[in-house]
Amino acid sequence: MHNFSSIAVIGAGQMGCGIAQSIAAAGIEVKLSDATPDLAQQGLARIHLRLLGQVEKHKLQPEEADHIVANITPVPSLESIHNCDLVIEAASEDLALKLELFRKLDQYAKPEALLASNTSSLSITTIAAATRRPQNVIGMHFFNPVPVMELVEVIRGLATSDITQTRILRLSEALGKKPVCSVDKAGFVVNRILLPMLNEACFLLDEGVASATDIDSAMQLGCAHPMGPLALADFIGLDTCLAIMEVLQKELGEVKYRPAPLLRRYVAAGWLGKKTGRGFFDYND
Ligand code: 3HC
């Protein structure tokens, strides 16, 4: 038993919404928070729309969809998390922002609550040190689209207790996920392998080795990847991809992690991928 009856999810973007939906589908109450009450409301509306799509495809009963939605309450501010047993932070990949959030979460969450970060590459030890309960802080890294992807990386910081890790492993299993433990080293397992591959695809495109469509077709047809690297980078968000490459480069200090200049240019242009309608591919129609 994991003993979590109420979980707060901080951040109602694509990861936060996916996490909230997966937890609610497991019958656990979720409080969904974002920088403004409107953003949290909009997050719930997007979850609802996706579930209705599942109902239309006869993959979900209407009452199941209603039940999942009823388990999620958008909350107006962080103060509303005081009754939660666990808080999962899924904000942008920005260390300063996460440190500030964890200081606040430590202040508002009840003393015995666990605090988890969905960070894709930042140090759990550093994030935990912003709180007075580093033994209760852990990494819980989900994959996009969260309701579909089975993996959760569970990352212990230096001070994370055994009981915290055990409870998070049990919760991951209760959500229908397969947890894999990683030590607290930049990028953990998946992003340390995946992001350099996506970054390399950007170098190939910039060097004119092949077109974006052909780079993606090559990896789909030649390696049986469900999406090509450039479409996957668009799907993850090019700003997130750049932020992860910057952490890998800074923390691991090797030239092989240098972000591709083309990736930087796209982010500078505001072409962030699917979420802005344009990245390596166009999503406007
Ligand atoms: N949210 C929720 N569910 C979604 C979704 C979304 N954004 N997008 C697709 N799905 C669901 C669909 O509803 C469908 O469910 P169903 O089978 O119950 O109907 C299922 O996924 C398959 O979707 P589709 O049939 O529409 O499309 P595909 O068969 O092409 O699959 C995909 C879509 C699952 C996204 C597949 O292309 C895939 O697996 N891509 C690779 C994804 C991946 O590698 N993710 C990891 C990214 S790395 C990461 O997240 C870490 C971070 O730190 C960067």
Side-chain angles (χ1 to χ4, degrees):
M1 251 315 268
H2 54 75
N3 288 329
F4 294 109
S5 56
S6 177
I7 297 179
V9 175
I10 312 301
Q14 58 181 351
M15 293 305 286
C17 286
I19 295 168
Q21 180 185 323
S22 299
I23 296 170
I28 304 168
E29 180 188 293
V30 181
K31 293 204 159 62
L32 182 61
S33 168
D34 206 313
T36 68
D38 269 4
L39 287 172
Q41 284 287 355
Q42 287 163 19
L44 180 59
R46 280 199 307 277
I47 295 170
H48 199 175
L49 210 61
R50 199 176 301 136
L51 291 170
L52 291 179
Q54 294 289 94
V55 171
E56 257 174 41
K57 288 196 264 176
H58 305 287
K59 300 254 170 131
L60 198 66
Q61 294 298 319
E63 50 280 11
E64 288 175 299
D66 290 345
H67 192 64
I68 296 172
V69 170
N71 275 342
I72 305 173
T73 311
V75 293
S77 67
L78 287 183
E79 279 93 331
S80 318
I81 67 166
H82 61 276
N83 279 330
C84 294
D85 307 307
L86 164 67
V87 184
I88 303 177
E89 169 275 321
S92 309
E93 206 54 9
D94 171 338
L95 183 61
L97 172 78
K98 287 194 196 285
L99 294 179
E100 180 58 25
L101 256 175
F102 271 76
R103 270 181 220 114
K104 288 188 182 150
L105 297 178
D106 189 32
Q107 190 184 335
Y108 296 126
K110 59 187 177 186
E112 67 276 24
L114 304 189
L115 307 179
S117 175
N118 178 55
T119 179
S120 39
S121 59
L122 295 167
S123 162
I124 299 302
T125 304
T126 307
I127 292 172
T131 74
R132 292 158 300 173
R133 60 177 100 188
Q135 72 284 359
N136 286 8
V137 179
I138 195 159
M140 199 176 183
H141 182 213
F142 292 83
F143 292 81
N144 196 14
V146 179
V148 179
M149 306 308 279
E150 279 187 270
L151 178 66
V152 175
E153 288 179 327
V154 174
I155 306 108
R156 277 183 86 138
L158 208 53
T160 308
S161 70
D162 290 346
I163 182 71
T164 297
Q165 184 183 30
T166 304
R167 291 186 69 200
I168 292 301
L169 290 173
R170 283 191 191 146
L171 172 67
S172 304
E173 282 160 3
L175 300 182
K177 307 289 183 199
K178 300 234 170 17
V180 164
C181 294
S182 165
V183 300
D184 187 19
K185 194 151 187 194
F188 317 126
V189 176
V190 171
N191 284 341
R192 174 92 178 259
I193 298 171
L194 177 66
L195 265 295
M197 186 193 73
L198 305 188
N199 194 48
E200 198 61 30
C202 302
F203 275 112
L204 257 69
L205 183 64
D206 209 12
E207 290 166 23
V209 174
S211 69
T213 309
D214 283 351
I215 290 170
D216 273 18
S217 294
M219 292 306 286
Q220 286 181 280
L221 301 177
C223 297
H225 289 189
M227 286 168 121
L230 297 172
L232 183 55
D234 277 354
F235 183 59
I236 292 169
L238 301 187
D239 51 342
T240 303
C241 291
L242 177 59
I244 297 170
M245 286 310 298
E246 282 174 336
V247 171
L248 292 179
Q249 186 185 37
K250 180 164 171 267
E251 296 299 322
L252 303 172
E254 294 196 45
V255 127
K256 66 182 176 181
Y257 299 118
R258 178 172 72 100
L262 185 68
L263 179 61
R264 283 195 189 285
R265 285 207 296 281
Y266 272 59
V267 172
W271 297 353
L272 306 183
K274 215 170 168 191
K275 64 187 170 189
T276 56
R278 178 157 191 184
F280 294 112
F281 298 99
D282 192 343
Y283 301 91
N284 284 313
D285 26 279

